């Protein structure tokens, strides 16, 4: 016989509300208020757990978060892969199974708990609702401060008398502080009835009233089911559960006598107390117990459950006492895991034989037993023996004193090293019952005094947290903001496949009648090269740069001159980092003497605006310049192809579109399809092209007008993939695809855009650095695979000689690779060491499926003279 | 996660800010006059003290303004926070 339900009593349960649940396939009776562990004990279920490594039978060892044995999987009414049975309240119909210390993922998408995240700002956060935490919380609330109190159990601790709560304090019960971070930032995992809640709390002050954990004692076969920390028996009495019929107590502190008394008062029997505390204590109701001073537990016996304990006394005396329960207490250790994880210090206190806190962050304090107010009587951690191979220290890792001794024999001295060699303290209980014992075993093995070194550090999270809880609502559509253009509904209607570009959804291609991507892209490219295509370019970053010093400012930000750009004209520009590497590109339109609209890459808009602000605010505060993001204020339609002019004309505009009146790289404000618009002649395809900018709210309307007007001319919408092919055919680089932060304008063959005579600009001096002028830097080239159907994978490495044996000296890599309908073949752009001088040469791309032989070409394979852009 | 004192907005979550490295590194008045070594020193080399460190922050998801702080690199405590034009801290 093991545990049983007491006849009456148990303030933590409601005997009027019986419930039942399923444990390992059997129906188990419980009351509302029971934890899974208390219900298992109440029903006398024997040795239901197994240790994960050795498979030894194990029972409930504690009544709290430090539990190293009793782990369960919950499958109804929600799914939780692994959790301590001591920490879960039973609900009607719950389905639970024992798990040997290792959780198990399930493929059938089990129902997780609903999750929410919440934020809170408070003046005071108290962790732990006991006596120690109650008063500071109450007093702060009385002063009008916002106060939160975190308590791991359902009810507020009895220290303050029943479930008594201070007025004005926000209580989070069944909640665990997972971690403390800088400046009073605390994450709390609340297991509320209806859902799991992850709190992000910022507190001016944090008080840790985290109490203390009872310390175990290591002796032979101390892991047998029926052996339990002494405090736990009192906690289970509060659930109306007697953990055993006949209980022996093995203690190093006098306080355990009260535990014995409590058991007897509730119908239990305590035949003996083995006491190494060296103090006198009152037996209370346990007056029949034989007090064995200086005796220790030297072993246990039993088949599936504890049947007897072997005791050893002074002078080698031995006794064996039959029992079904053995309570152990080595004393109390302040619970300082959170304190230490944020950098709080520890020292060993010889008065209380425990590690107590020293200095920590100014916003953090520790009170009560966590601060070292622990009633310990003797420094006692393990029972000396000839054979330490069954003195278990970390139950969940199945590690013994003998295992620790092996690592110390091997030369390890630090507990941090012992931890990593033995894995002690790395299981999901975080070594709460093993950390201090391990440290003291190592200290003893090294011949050092107690406290010479303390337990290894613990890191957040303090208890296991499902990833789903950490993710919270930030999943699926809420994972990251989704940005769409005003034309987005049209793209969806048309069945576009989308590509993520930063947070933007951009049409990737527009498949027709289920055609594959390759066919769709080919069709879209041919439309632009032979007739006309339209692309939604609204995602382009757009920044208005305004002010008397805007021209001078842009001269300093771009490699070329922008100050002499005429109003109404457009110029392409390249922006460098201070290190001379290409940062972004785009065009600048001069709207007025003191006003430019500059465009950036879709992904670079925020970076460029930030860069502008940085220079203006920190280096040149004297410049009168204001920058405003207008990316979302303008919708942009790019109309590309030999018939682009006819399409714009047919859309209806008052702007003179003639070649003479509206040359390349100029813009005009006017009306298009009755909407105020800006028409710009810029081309990212090499074809005759117009960019049509309209206020965003006209975006969809103008897109539809262009498509309708373009139908007679064979207009096709095209997506980013065709855009990439078209621009690559012209050797137009994409910053971030063909460049990677280590590429200069010269590497790209773009010396023409670097004006070294105009004065200083960002990155200019770096272009003379010895490393930047090396002739063997990787440089942009074109590649034609010998096999005109071979498509090189982007990122493929290039070698000058294919020796057939690895390793081969690498000479470069492919940055862009496409099938070109216009060229009737595949081609690629690549960065190749000294590539500018290697046009015409053969290089190789050794790939797992075979080497691709390529010829190096100019990076402008299509229309190199630019004859097509004027239509 | 730090609570960063923005001189305009007050203390805010670190996630709103971008770190700007050491403060008080002025852009050279005549970069052309610098040797490669001196330019590389300006570009790449920064102090890394234990203790008080003058550094720049940018309130990217707030007022979008740069400011300078003095922060203790051992305790992470901010000792000073000021706009960049109010002198090097």
């Amino acid at each position: 016989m093991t545990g049983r339900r007491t006849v009456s009593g148990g303030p933590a349960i409601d005997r009027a509300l019986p419930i039942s649940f399923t444990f390992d396939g059997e129906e188990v009776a419980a009351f509302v208020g029971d934890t899974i562990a208390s219900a298992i004990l109440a029903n006398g279920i024997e040795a239901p757990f197994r240790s994960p490594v050795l498979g030894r039978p194990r029972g409930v060892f504690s009544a709290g978060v430090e539990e190293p044995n009793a782990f369960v999987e919950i499958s109804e009414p929600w799914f939780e892969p692994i959790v301590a049975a001591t920490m879960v309240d039973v609900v009607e119909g719950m389905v639970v199974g024992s798990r040997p210390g290792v959780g198990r993922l399930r493929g059938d998408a089990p129902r997780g708990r609903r999750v929410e995240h919440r934020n809170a700002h408070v003046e005071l956060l108290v962790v732990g609702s006991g006596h120690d935490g109650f008063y500071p919380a109450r007093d702060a609330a009385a002063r009008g401060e916002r106060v939160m109190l975190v308590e791991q159990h359902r009810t507020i601790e009895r220290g303050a008398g029943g479930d008594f709560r201070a007025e004005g304090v926000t209580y989070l019960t069944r909640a665990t502080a997972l971690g403390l971070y800088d400046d009073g930032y605390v994450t709390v995992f609340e297991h509320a009835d209806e859902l799991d809640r992850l709190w992000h709390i910022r507190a001016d002050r944090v008080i840790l009233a985290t109490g203390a954990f009872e310390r175990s004692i290591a002796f032979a076969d101390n892991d047998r089911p029926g052996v339990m920390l002494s405090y736990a028996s009192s906690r289970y009495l509060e659930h109306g559960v007697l953990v055993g019929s006949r209980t022996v107590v093995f203690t190093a502190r006098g306080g355990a006598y009260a535990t014995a008394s409590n058991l007897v008062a509730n119908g239990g029997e305590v035949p003996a107390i083995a006491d190494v505390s060296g103090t006198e204590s009152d037996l209370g109701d346990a007056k029949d117990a034989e007090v064995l001073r200086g005796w220790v537990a030297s072993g246990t016996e039993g088949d599936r459950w504890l049947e007897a304990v072997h005791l050893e006394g002074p002078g080698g005396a031995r006794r064996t006492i039959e029992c079904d329960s053995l309570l152990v207490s080595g004393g109390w250790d302040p619970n300082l895991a959170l304190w230490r994880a944020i950098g709080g210090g520890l020292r060993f206190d010889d008065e209380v034989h425990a590690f107590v806190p020293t200095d920590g962050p100014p916003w953090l304090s520790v009170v009560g037993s966590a601060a070292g107010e622990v009633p310990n009587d003797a420094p006692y951690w393990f029972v000396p023996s000839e054979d330490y191979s069954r003195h278990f220290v970390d139950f969940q890792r199945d590690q013994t004193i003998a295992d620790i001794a092996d690592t110390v024999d091997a030369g390890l001295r630090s507990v941090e090293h012992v931890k990593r060699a033995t894995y002690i303290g790395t299981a999901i209980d975080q070594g709460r019952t093993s950390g201090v014992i391990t440290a003291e075993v190592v200290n003893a093995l090294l011949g050092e005094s107690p406290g010479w070194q303390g337990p290894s550090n613990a890191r957040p999270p303090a208890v296991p947290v499902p990833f789903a809880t950490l993710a919270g609502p930030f999943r699926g559509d809420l994972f990251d903001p989704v940005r769409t253009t005003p034309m987005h509904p049209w793209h969806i209607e048309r069945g576009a496949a989308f590509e993520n570009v930063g947070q933007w959804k951009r049409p990737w291609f527009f498949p027709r009648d289920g055609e594959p991507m390759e066919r769709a892209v080919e069709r879209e490219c041919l439309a632009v090269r032979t007739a006309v295509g339209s692309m939604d370019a609204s995602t382009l970053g757009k920044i208005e740069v305004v002010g008397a010093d805007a021209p001078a400012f842009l001269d300093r930000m771009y490699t070329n001159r922008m100050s002499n750009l005429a109003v109404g004209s457009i110029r392409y520009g390249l922006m460098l980092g201070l290190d001379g590497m290409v940062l972004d590109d785009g065009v600048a339109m001069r709207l007025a003497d003191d006003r430019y609209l500059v465009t950036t890459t879709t992904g670079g808009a925020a970076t460029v605006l930030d860069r502008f602000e940085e220079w203006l605010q920190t280096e040149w505060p004297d410049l009168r310049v204001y920058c405003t993001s207008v990316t979302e204020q303008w919708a942009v339609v790019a109309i590309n192809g030999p018939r682009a002019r006819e399409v714009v004309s047919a859309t209806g505009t008052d702007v003179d579109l003639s070649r003479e009146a509206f040359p390349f790289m100029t813009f005009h404000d006017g009306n298009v399809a009755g909407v105020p618009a800006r028409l710009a002649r810029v081309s990212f395809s090499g074809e005759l092209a117009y960019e049509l900018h309209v206020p965003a709210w006209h975006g969809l309307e103008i897109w539809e007008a262009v498509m309708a007007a373009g139908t007679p001319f064979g207009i096709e919408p095209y997506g980013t993939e065709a855009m990439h092919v078209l621009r690559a055919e012209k050797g137009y680089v994409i910053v971030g695809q063909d460049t990677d932060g280590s590429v200069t304008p010269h590497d790209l063959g773009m010396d023409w855009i670097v004006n070294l005579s105009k004065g200083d600009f960002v990155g200019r001096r770096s272009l003379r650095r010895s490393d930047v002028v090396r002739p063997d830097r990787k440089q942009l080239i074109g590649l034609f695979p010998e096999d005109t159907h071979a498509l090189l994978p982007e990122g493929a490495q290039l070698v000058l000689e294919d020796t057939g044996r690895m390793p081969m000296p690498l000479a470069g890599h492919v940055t862009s690779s496409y099938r070109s309908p216009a060229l009737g073949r595949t081609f690629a752009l690549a960065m190749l060491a000294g590539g500018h001088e290697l046009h015409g040469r053969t290089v190789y791309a050794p790939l797992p499926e075979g080497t691709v032989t390529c010829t190096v070409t100019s990076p402008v394979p299509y229309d190199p003279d630019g004859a097509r852009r004027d239509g | 996660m730090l609570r960063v004192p923005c001189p305009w907005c007050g203390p805010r979550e670190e996630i709103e800010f971008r770190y700007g490295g050491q403060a008080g590194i002025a852009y050279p008045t005549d970069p052309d006059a610098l040797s490669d070594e001196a330019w590389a020193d300006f570009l790449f080399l920064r102090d890394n003290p234990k203790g008080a460190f003058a550094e720049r922050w940018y309130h990217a998801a707030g007022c979008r303004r740069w400011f300078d702080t003095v922060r203790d690199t051992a305790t992470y405590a901010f000792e000073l926070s000021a706009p960049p034009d109010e002198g090097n801290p």
Side-chain angles (χ1 to χ4, degrees), chain A residues 183 202 204 614 617 760 764-766, chain B residues 3 13 27 32 34 36 39 56 64 66:
Chain A
D183 292 334
R202 189 62 91 160
D204 288 345
E614 178 177 354
Q617 291 181 34
D760 197 22
R764 178 176 184 273
R765 172 63 184 83
S766 289
Chain B
R3 184 143 62 164
E13 297 290 326
Y27 186 73
D32 274 339
L34 298 183
D36 265 14
W39 178 250
R56 309 186 312 153
R64 288 177 46 218
W66 283 87

PDB file of all heavy atoms in Angstrom, chain A residues 183 202 204 614 617 760 764-766, chain B residues 3 13 27 32 34 36 39 56 64 66:
ATOM      1  N   ASP A 183      17.007  45.794 -17.262  1.00  0.00           N
ATOM      2  CA  ASP A 183      16.120  46.907 -16.928  1.00  0.00           C
ATOM      3  C   ASP A 183      14.703  46.460 -16.583  1.00  0.00           C
ATOM      4  O   ASP A 183      13.726  47.079 -17.003  1.00  0.00           O
ATOM      5  CB  ASP A 183      16.072  47.924 -18.089  1.00  0.00           C
ATOM      6  CG  ASP A 183      17.399  48.646 -18.274  1.00  0.00           C
ATOM      7  OD1 ASP A 183      18.144  48.748 -17.280  1.00  0.00           O
ATOM      8  OD2 ASP A 183      17.686  49.094 -19.392  1.00  0.00           O
ATOM      9  N   ARG A 202       7.336  45.090 -18.092  1.00  0.00           N
ATOM     10  CA  ARG A 202       8.448  45.997 -17.808  1.00  0.00           C
ATOM     11  C   ARG A 202       8.169  46.589 -16.431  1.00  0.00           C
ATOM     12  O   ARG A 202       7.130  47.199 -16.213  1.00  0.00           O
ATOM     13  CB  ARG A 202       8.484  47.062 -18.900  1.00  0.00           C
ATOM     14  CG  ARG A 202       9.688  47.950 -18.884  1.00  0.00           C
ATOM     15  CD  ARG A 202      10.984  47.210 -19.108  1.00  0.00           C
ATOM     16  NE  ARG A 202      11.387  47.128 -20.483  1.00  0.00           N
ATOM     17  CZ  ARG A 202      12.651  46.874 -20.864  1.00  0.00           C
ATOM     18  NH1 ARG A 202      13.603  46.687 -19.975  1.00  0.00           N
ATOM     19  NH2 ARG A 202      12.950  46.785 -22.138  1.00  0.00           N
ATOM     20  N   ASP A 204       9.665  48.760 -12.961  1.00  0.00           N
ATOM     21  CA  ASP A 204      10.729  49.611 -12.422  1.00  0.00           C
ATOM     22  C   ASP A 204      11.529  48.856 -11.372  1.00  0.00           C
ATOM     23  O   ASP A 204      12.739  49.007 -11.284  1.00  0.00           O
ATOM     24  CB  ASP A 204      10.125  50.870 -11.778  1.00  0.00           C
ATOM     25  CG  ASP A 204       9.587  51.835 -12.822  1.00  0.00           C
ATOM     26  OD1 ASP A 204       9.935  51.675 -14.013  1.00  0.00           O
ATOM     27  OD2 ASP A 204       8.808  52.733 -12.460  1.00  0.00           O
ATOM     28  N   GLU A 614      20.550  59.811 -40.924  1.00  0.00           N
ATOM     29  CA  GLU A 614      21.761  59.713 -40.108  1.00  0.00           C
ATOM     30  C   GLU A 614      22.761  60.815 -40.485  1.00  0.00           C
ATOM     31  O   GLU A 614      23.285  61.519 -39.626  1.00  0.00           O
ATOM     32  CB  GLU A 614      22.404  58.329 -40.277  1.00  0.00           C
ATOM     33  CG  GLU A 614      23.693  58.192 -39.498  1.00  0.00           C
ATOM     34  CD  GLU A 614      24.303  56.807 -39.596  1.00  0.00           C
ATOM     35  OE1 GLU A 614      23.664  55.907 -40.179  1.00  0.00           O
ATOM     36  OE2 GLU A 614      25.428  56.631 -39.097  1.00  0.00           O
ATOM     37  N   GLN A 617      21.329  64.340 -39.581  1.00  0.00           N
ATOM     38  CA  GLN A 617      21.215  64.650 -38.161  1.00  0.00           C
ATOM     39  C   GLN A 617      22.554  64.677 -37.443  1.00  0.00           C
ATOM     40  O   GLN A 617      22.760  65.477 -36.537  1.00  0.00           O
ATOM     41  CB  GLN A 617      20.309  63.632 -37.457  1.00  0.00           C
ATOM     42  CG  GLN A 617      18.848  63.730 -37.849  1.00  0.00           C
ATOM     43  CD  GLN A 617      18.007  62.705 -37.106  1.00  0.00           C
ATOM     44  OE1 GLN A 617      18.273  62.373 -35.960  1.00  0.00           O
ATOM     45  NE2 GLN A 617      16.997  62.191 -37.776  1.00  0.00           N
ATOM     46  N   ASP A 760      33.558  65.747 -52.457  1.00  0.00           N
ATOM     47  CA  ASP A 760      33.440  64.531 -51.657  1.00  0.00           C
ATOM     48  C   ASP A 760      32.022  63.976 -51.700  1.00  0.00           C
ATOM     49  O   ASP A 760      31.049  64.724 -51.825  1.00  0.00           O
ATOM     50  CB  ASP A 760      33.836  64.837 -50.207  1.00  0.00           C
ATOM     51  CG  ASP A 760      34.141  63.564 -49.430  1.00  0.00           C
ATOM     52  OD1 ASP A 760      34.457  62.535 -50.077  1.00  0.00           O
ATOM     53  OD2 ASP A 760      34.070  63.591 -48.190  1.00  0.00           O
ATOM     54  N   ARG A 764      33.596  57.893 -51.196  1.00  0.00           N
ATOM     55  CA  ARG A 764      34.560  58.268 -52.232  1.00  0.00           C
ATOM     56  C   ARG A 764      35.984  57.876 -51.848  1.00  0.00           C
ATOM     57  O   ARG A 764      36.704  57.259 -52.646  1.00  0.00           O
ATOM     58  CB  ARG A 764      34.478  59.786 -52.459  1.00  0.00           C
ATOM     59  CG  ARG A 764      35.459  60.314 -53.489  1.00  0.00           C
ATOM     60  CD  ARG A 764      35.200  61.809 -53.685  1.00  0.00           C
ATOM     61  NE  ARG A 764      36.048  62.373 -54.720  1.00  0.00           N
ATOM     62  CZ  ARG A 764      37.279  62.832 -54.489  1.00  0.00           C
ATOM     63  NH1 ARG A 764      37.796  62.773 -53.279  1.00  0.00           N
ATOM     64  NH2 ARG A 764      37.979  63.336 -55.488  1.00  0.00           N
ATOM     65  N   ARG A 765      36.394  58.226 -50.635  1.00  0.00           N
ATOM     66  CA  ARG A 765      37.778  57.963 -50.249  1.00  0.00           C
ATOM     67  C   ARG A 765      38.078  56.463 -50.281  1.00  0.00           C
ATOM     68  O   ARG A 765      39.192  56.040 -50.608  1.00  0.00           O
ATOM     69  CB  ARG A 765      38.037  58.535 -48.844  1.00  0.00           C
ATOM     70  CG  ARG A 765      39.380  58.176 -48.234  1.00  0.00           C
ATOM     71  CD  ARG A 765      40.546  58.743 -49.055  1.00  0.00           C
ATOM     72  NE  ARG A 765      41.835  58.316 -48.523  1.00  0.00           N
ATOM     73  CZ  ARG A 765      42.417  57.147 -48.798  1.00  0.00           C
ATOM     74  NH1 ARG A 765      41.805  56.275 -49.580  1.00  0.00           N
ATOM     75  NH2 ARG A 765      43.595  56.839 -48.283  1.00  0.00           N
ATOM     76  N   SER A 766      37.050  55.662 -49.982  1.00  0.00           N
ATOM     77  CA  SER A 766      37.286  54.205 -49.932  1.00  0.00           C
ATOM     78  C   SER A 766      37.590  53.623 -51.306  1.00  0.00           C
ATOM     79  O   SER A 766      38.164  52.539 -51.398  1.00  0.00           O
ATOM     80  CB  SER A 766      36.065  53.504 -49.327  1.00  0.00           C
ATOM     81  OG  SER A 766      35.972  53.763 -47.947  1.00  0.00           O
TER      82      SER A 766
ATOM     83  N   ARG B   3      16.092  49.200 -21.653  1.00  0.00           N
ATOM     84  CA  ARG B   3      15.147  50.310 -21.757  1.00  0.00           C
ATOM     85  C   ARG B   3      16.010  51.523 -22.092  1.00  0.00           C
ATOM     86  O   ARG B   3      16.802  51.971 -21.266  1.00  0.00           O
ATOM     87  CB  ARG B   3      14.379  50.483 -20.457  1.00  0.00           C
ATOM     88  CG  ARG B   3      13.335  51.552 -20.542  1.00  0.00           C
ATOM     89  CD  ARG B   3      12.103  51.176 -19.757  1.00  0.00           C
ATOM     90  NE  ARG B   3      12.385  51.026 -18.329  1.00  0.00           N
ATOM     91  CZ  ARG B   3      11.427  51.012 -17.404  1.00  0.00           C
ATOM     92  NH1 ARG B   3      10.183  51.129 -17.736  1.00  0.00           N
ATOM     93  NH2 ARG B   3      11.738  50.851 -16.140  1.00  0.00           N
ATOM     94  N   GLU B  13      11.421  50.813 -25.277  1.00  0.00           N
ATOM     95  CA  GLU B  13      11.960  49.463 -25.460  1.00  0.00           C
ATOM     96  C   GLU B  13      13.106  49.464 -26.483  1.00  0.00           C
ATOM     97  O   GLU B  13      13.024  50.129 -27.525  1.00  0.00           O
ATOM     98  CB  GLU B  13      10.869  48.521 -25.955  1.00  0.00           C
ATOM     99  CG  GLU B  13       9.712  48.341 -24.987  1.00  0.00           C
ATOM    100  CD  GLU B  13      10.104  47.557 -23.757  1.00  0.00           C
ATOM    101  OE1 GLU B  13      10.935  46.652 -23.866  1.00  0.00           O
ATOM    102  OE2 GLU B  13       9.589  47.876 -22.674  1.00  0.00           O
ATOM    103  N   TYR B  27      33.347  62.819 -39.025  1.00  0.00           N
ATOM    104  CA  TYR B  27      33.747  62.548 -40.405  1.00  0.00           C
ATOM    105  C   TYR B  27      34.958  63.431 -40.714  1.00  0.00           C
ATOM    106  O   TYR B  27      34.928  64.639 -40.446  1.00  0.00           O
ATOM    107  CB  TYR B  27      32.574  62.880 -41.337  1.00  0.00           C
ATOM    108  CG  TYR B  27      32.816  62.505 -42.778  1.00  0.00           C
ATOM    109  CD1 TYR B  27      32.803  61.174 -43.161  1.00  0.00           C
ATOM    110  CD2 TYR B  27      33.061  63.475 -43.744  1.00  0.00           C
ATOM    111  CE1 TYR B  27      33.024  60.814 -44.476  1.00  0.00           C
ATOM    112  CE2 TYR B  27      33.282  63.129 -45.069  1.00  0.00           C
ATOM    113  CZ  TYR B  27      33.268  61.793 -45.430  1.00  0.00           C
ATOM    114  OH  TYR B  27      33.491  61.442 -46.735  1.00  0.00           O
ATOM    115  N   ASP B  32      40.595  62.960 -48.458  1.00  0.00           N
ATOM    116  CA  ASP B  32      41.653  62.744 -49.445  1.00  0.00           C
ATOM    117  C   ASP B  32      43.045  62.877 -48.840  1.00  0.00           C
ATOM    118  O   ASP B  32      44.008  62.306 -49.341  1.00  0.00           O
ATOM    119  CB  ASP B  32      41.500  63.735 -50.605  1.00  0.00           C
ATOM    120  CG  ASP B  32      40.532  63.197 -51.652  1.00  0.00           C
ATOM    121  OD1 ASP B  32      40.329  61.962 -51.671  1.00  0.00           O
ATOM    122  OD2 ASP B  32      39.970  63.998 -52.423  1.00  0.00           O
ATOM    123  N   LEU B  34      43.978  61.782 -46.045  1.00  0.00           N
ATOM    124  CA  LEU B  34      44.313  60.683 -45.136  1.00  0.00           C
ATOM    125  C   LEU B  34      45.000  59.544 -45.876  1.00  0.00           C
ATOM    126  O   LEU B  34      44.658  59.225 -47.018  1.00  0.00           O
ATOM    127  CB  LEU B  34      43.049  60.151 -44.470  1.00  0.00           C
ATOM    128  CG  LEU B  34      42.262  61.126 -43.587  1.00  0.00           C
ATOM    129  CD1 LEU B  34      41.081  60.401 -42.947  1.00  0.00           C
ATOM    130  CD2 LEU B  34      43.161  61.724 -42.517  1.00  0.00           C
ATOM    131  N   ASP B  36      45.816  55.497 -46.371  1.00  0.00           N
ATOM    132  CA  ASP B  36      44.927  54.326 -46.296  1.00  0.00           C
ATOM    133  C   ASP B  36      44.764  53.882 -44.846  1.00  0.00           C
ATOM    134  O   ASP B  36      43.663  53.519 -44.422  1.00  0.00           O
ATOM    135  CB  ASP B  36      45.510  53.171 -47.131  1.00  0.00           C
ATOM    136  CG  ASP B  36      44.916  53.148 -48.540  1.00  0.00           C
ATOM    137  OD1 ASP B  36      44.282  54.158 -48.926  1.00  0.00           O
ATOM    138  OD2 ASP B  36      45.093  52.127 -49.234  1.00  0.00           O
ATOM    139  N   TRP B  39      42.534  56.322 -42.931  1.00  0.00           N
ATOM    140  CA  TRP B  39      41.142  56.183 -43.376  1.00  0.00           C
ATOM    141  C   TRP B  39      40.533  54.892 -42.833  1.00  0.00           C
ATOM    142  O   TRP B  39      39.393  54.864 -42.347  1.00  0.00           O
ATOM    143  CB  TRP B  39      41.076  56.221 -44.901  1.00  0.00           C
ATOM    144  CG  TRP B  39      39.690  56.042 -45.447  1.00  0.00           C
ATOM    145  CD1 TRP B  39      39.200  54.969 -46.127  1.00  0.00           C
ATOM    146  CD2 TRP B  39      38.598  56.970 -45.359  1.00  0.00           C
ATOM    147  NE1 TRP B  39      37.890  55.159 -46.471  1.00  0.00           N
ATOM    148  CE2 TRP B  39      37.482  56.383 -46.012  1.00  0.00           C
ATOM    149  CE3 TRP B  39      38.458  58.235 -44.781  1.00  0.00           C
ATOM    150  CZ2 TRP B  39      36.248  57.027 -46.102  1.00  0.00           C
ATOM    151  CZ3 TRP B  39      37.215  58.866 -44.882  1.00  0.00           C
ATOM    152  CH2 TRP B  39      36.127  58.265 -45.527  1.00  0.00           C
ATOM    153  N   ARG B  56      26.097  55.949 -29.964  1.00  0.00           N
ATOM    154  CA  ARG B  56      24.985  56.581 -30.667  1.00  0.00           C
ATOM    155  C   ARG B  56      23.814  55.609 -30.748  1.00  0.00           C
ATOM    156  O   ARG B  56      23.998  54.403 -30.889  1.00  0.00           O
ATOM    157  CB  ARG B  56      25.391  56.956 -32.091  1.00  0.00           C
ATOM    158  CG  ARG B  56      26.683  57.756 -32.186  1.00  0.00           C
ATOM    159  CD  ARG B  56      26.931  58.209 -33.601  1.00  0.00           C
ATOM    160  NE  ARG B  56      26.770  57.125 -34.555  1.00  0.00           N
ATOM    161  CZ  ARG B  56      26.414  57.270 -35.831  1.00  0.00           C
ATOM    162  NH1 ARG B  56      26.158  58.467 -36.309  1.00  0.00           N
ATOM    163  NH2 ARG B  56      26.318  56.228 -36.626  1.00  0.00           N
ATOM    164  N   ARG B  64      12.515  58.840 -34.819  1.00  0.00           N
ATOM    165  CA  ARG B  64      13.469  58.791 -35.927  1.00  0.00           C
ATOM    166  C   ARG B  64      14.584  59.806 -35.757  1.00  0.00           C
ATOM    167  O   ARG B  64      15.072  60.366 -36.720  1.00  0.00           O
ATOM    168  CB  ARG B  64      12.763  58.971 -37.273  1.00  0.00           C
ATOM    169  CG  ARG B  64      11.942  57.742 -37.660  1.00  0.00           C
ATOM    170  CD  ARG B  64      11.179  57.932 -38.962  1.00  0.00           C
ATOM    171  NE  ARG B  64      12.007  58.507 -39.984  1.00  0.00           N
ATOM    172  CZ  ARG B  64      11.588  59.409 -40.889  1.00  0.00           C
ATOM    173  NH1 ARG B  64      10.346  59.805 -40.877  1.00  0.00           N
ATOM    174  NH2 ARG B  64      12.400  59.892 -41.775  1.00  0.00           N
ATOM    175  N   TRP B  66      18.452  60.726 -34.006  1.00  0.00           N
ATOM    176  CA  TRP B  66      19.697  60.196 -33.434  1.00  0.00           C
ATOM    177  C   TRP B  66      19.999  60.912 -32.131  1.00  0.00           C
ATOM    178  O   TRP B  66      19.656  62.086 -31.962  1.00  0.00           O
ATOM    179  CB  TRP B  66      20.844  60.423 -34.415  1.00  0.00           C
ATOM    180  CG  TRP B  66      20.830  59.451 -35.547  1.00  0.00           C
ATOM    181  CD1 TRP B  66      20.153  59.572 -36.726  1.00  0.00           C
ATOM    182  CD2 TRP B  66      21.516  58.206 -35.603  1.00  0.00           C
ATOM    183  NE1 TRP B  66      20.372  58.474 -37.511  1.00  0.00           N
ATOM    184  CE2 TRP B  66      21.209  57.621 -36.857  1.00  0.00           C
ATOM    185  CE3 TRP B  66      22.357  57.512 -34.724  1.00  0.00           C
ATOM    186  CZ2 TRP B  66      21.716  56.381 -37.241  1.00  0.00           C
ATOM    187  CZ3 TRP B  66      22.862  56.286 -35.117  1.00  0.00           C
ATOM    188  CH2 TRP B  66      22.539  55.725 -36.363  1.00  0.00           C
TER     189      TRP B  66
END
